[in-house]
Amino acid sequence: MAISPESMPENPIDFRAPPPSPIASGRRSSVTNDEVLTEFLEHSLRVPDLILPDKIFPRQKIVETPPRIDCQSLISGESDSVLRMLDSIARIGCFQLVNFGIPSEFIRLVSVTAAGIFQLPPEKKEAVSRSLERPYGFEEVHGDHQEAESEVSEEFVWCKDESLKLDMEGIWPTGYSNFSKKMETLSSDIEKVARKILQILHENCPGKSMYGNDMMQRQDLIGSVCCLYKHGRNFLADQWASSLGYDVMRMLIRGTDYSHALCLHICDGSSEFHVYSKKGWVSFCPDKDALIVTVGDRTQVWSGGQYKHVFGWPIFKGEDEDSISMAFLYSPPSSNSSSSKTSKGKTVSLGLQAILAIILTLVCHFLVYFYKEV
């Protein structure tokens, strides 16, 4: 039944809108309120003036020449040589090694041969460039530095790896085999020197193990790794200054990519050598034909922080031609890898295991038959 308007209740529910918000008094207009709000926002949102450093590294550097230590005296255990080496690496993380048994003529021959790598066309270098899957090869330059850095410095990471050998022989079939043989010989000689130095460090750091769990979790490359650098010839001072920070940052990244115990630098002809660490920046003029040894992260770990990890970088100024430097990153073979090789030599093949199982089965059947007959 429909309800007529007359039948609706007399007092319907009263829906009233809420009272309006109070407005500002007539003494102050909305324009004034806007001015106050604007002034408040200007003060609260003001960005402070920041003065950023114009260079990555501090301008002040310490000039200190590390001791020149004779390798034969060091190996023979001469106390003066050992103490000077330990004191130098504890303070600045490096020392200079001379008379280490590798002919300087052979080192120069390897450097001349290595220069041929950097003369390859850019498209061939790109085919063997470093990546996450390939820890060796040419370092690719990105961004605004590409044009300038290609004339200042280049980098090639070498290691004893069959994949690298196959890749490089594909783009440089005539020269890489000769270069690789020389590098393997030099790398083996460098490893012998580094092994003796580590032994002396270990003997003078009692109670420490050279094989830590942290080290075993790092990447395990085949043998030593060598970073070869081509340093460009004469160029503008502004270009050299701008590239120095970029080169050092690239070196710092490389040091963390490849965990190592010692780094042995060959940089004959360099005008300066810089050592970077958390303590500061040390610069010196290296001696001719000296091998510069710097402490790696693995040595810092097993020494309990007694020997600090540092990064070294040679500087070439005023050269009429390109210069080559080499940094060998060395780590001793781990105890786990030695034990795995030993256990691998004692393993029994599946075929021999099957033959032994058949023989044992036949012997068991024969014994059961024999006891039943008895």
Side-chain angles (χ1 to χ4, degrees):
M1 179 178 179
I3 299 177
S4 60
E6 291 81 1
S7 61
M8 295 182 64
E10 296 180 0
N11 297 321
I13 300 175
D14 188 10
F15 292 99
R16 294 184 179 181
S21 301
I23 60 174
S25 61
R27 297 179 181 178
R28 202 174 216 184
S29 64
S30 60
V31 176
T32 305
N33 291 336
D34 292 341
E35 292 178 354
V36 173
L37 179 60
T38 302
E39 184 179 358
F40 170 76
L41 292 177
E42 287 179 353
H43 284 82
S44 60
L45 299 179
R46 181 176 297 172
V47 179
D49 295 331
L50 300 177
I51 301 177
L52 300 177
D54 56 348
K55 292 186 178 180
I56 302 175
F57 300 99
R59 297 180 180 179
Q60 299 295 329
K61 60 183 178 181
I62 303 173
V63 179
E64 179 178 356
T65 303
R68 187 174 181 266
I69 299 176
D70 185 272
C71 184
Q72 303 305 319
S73 300
L74 187 65
I75 295 174
S76 63
E78 185 179 320
S79 59
D80 180 64
S81 297
V82 173
L83 291 177
R84 287 195 301 144
M85 181 194 71
L86 296 177
D87 176 70
S88 182
I89 64 175
R91 289 186 299 104
I92 59 178
C94 76
F95 65 94
Q96 300 185 87
L97 190 69
V98 296
N99 192 23
F100 45 86
I102 304 177
S104 57
E105 294 79 9
F106 178 68
I107 294 178
R108 294 189 184 95
L109 178 61
V110 176
S111 299
V112 172
T113 308
I117 290 181
F118 299 104
Q119 295 175 1
L120 294 172
E123 58 272 12
K124 291 188 176 181
K125 294 180 181 179
E126 186 177 358
V128 194
S129 60
R130 290 185 67 252
S131 62
L132 295 176
E133 298 78 16
R134 181 190 292 151
Y136 53 76
F138 294 93
E139 177 67 19
E140 185 177 359
V141 181
H142 298 277
D144 297 336
H145 294 275
Q146 186 168 359
E147 182 178 354
E149 297 299 329
S150 61
E151 300 177 358
V152 177
S153 66
E154 294 183 50
E155 178 183 356
F156 177 79
V157 179
W158 176 90
C159 63
K160 298 177 183 178
D161 190 276
E162 284 298 324
S163 299
L164 172 62
K165 186 176 182 181
L166 293 175
D167 292 342
M168 287 302 299
E169 287 180 348
I171 65 172
W172 193 28
T174 57
Y176 185 78
S177 178
N178 181 35
F179 163 75
S180 181
K181 290 179 181 178
K182 290 182 173 58
M183 280 297 297
E184 289 179 4
T185 302
L186 179 59
S187 177
S188 299
D189 294 339
I190 291 290
E191 287 179 4
K192 293 177 183 178
V193 176
R195 195 177 300 114
K196 293 175 182 178
I197 296 174
L198 279 181
Q199 183 179 356
I200 297 173
L201 292 178
H202 183 60
E203 292 173 352
N204 290 272
C205 193
K208 304 297 183 181
S209 173
M210 293 181 66
Y211 308 104
N213 293 330
D214 294 338
M215 295 187 296
M216 297 307 301
Q217 295 176 358
R218 307 294 182 91
Q219 76 285 345
D220 185 17
L221 292 177
I222 303 174
S224 297
V225 174
C226 180
C227 298
L228 294 96
Y229 302 96
K230 187 201 78 171
H231 305 265
R233 65 192 72 181
N234 282 333
F235 47 88
L236 298 177
D238 294 340
Q239 186 180 4
W240 180 87
S242 63
S243 67
L244 176 60
Y246 177 83
D247 289 335
V248 173
M249 288 300 297
R250 188 171 61 186
M251 173 202 59
L252 297 178
I253 295 173
R254 192 70 62 255
T256 56
D257 284 348
Y258 302 108
S259 179
H260 60 283
L262 293 175
C263 184
L264 294 87
H265 302 264
I266 297 177
C267 50
D268 189 27
S270 61
S271 54
E272 296 179 22
F273 192 88
H274 295 180
V275 180
Y276 301 93
S277 68
K278 293 182 179 179
K279 293 182 179 180
W281 176 12
V282 177
S283 174
F284 62 92
C285 297
D287 291 349
K288 181 177 176 59
D289 297 332
L291 192 66
I292 301 177
V293 183
T294 57
V295 175
D297 59 320
R298 295 194 178 190
T299 300
Q300 177 174 330
V301 170
W302 66 255
S303 67
Q306 181 176 347
Y307 309 127
K308 301 299 183 181
H309 180 203
V310 298
F311 299 92
W313 183 253
I315 303 297
F316 294 84
K317 289 183 179 180
E319 298 295 330
D320 296 331
E321 57 184 13
D322 296 340
S323 302
I324 302 295
S325 68
M326 292 176 277
F328 288 87
L329 308 177
Y330 172 77
S331 290
S334 63
S335 58
N336 288 357
S337 61
S338 300
S339 61
S340 63
K341 291 180 181 179
T342 305
S343 60
K344 183 178 180 181
K346 296 181 180 179
T347 56
V348 181
S349 62
L350 293 176
L352 184 56
Q353 293 179 18
I355 294 174
L356 291 175
I358 294 173
I359 293 175
L360 290 176
T361 304
L362 293 176
V363 170
C364 291
H365 284 292
F366 175 77
L367 292 175
V368 171
Y369 176 78
F370 177 76
Y371 282 113
K372 284 182 179 180
E373 290 294 329
V374 174

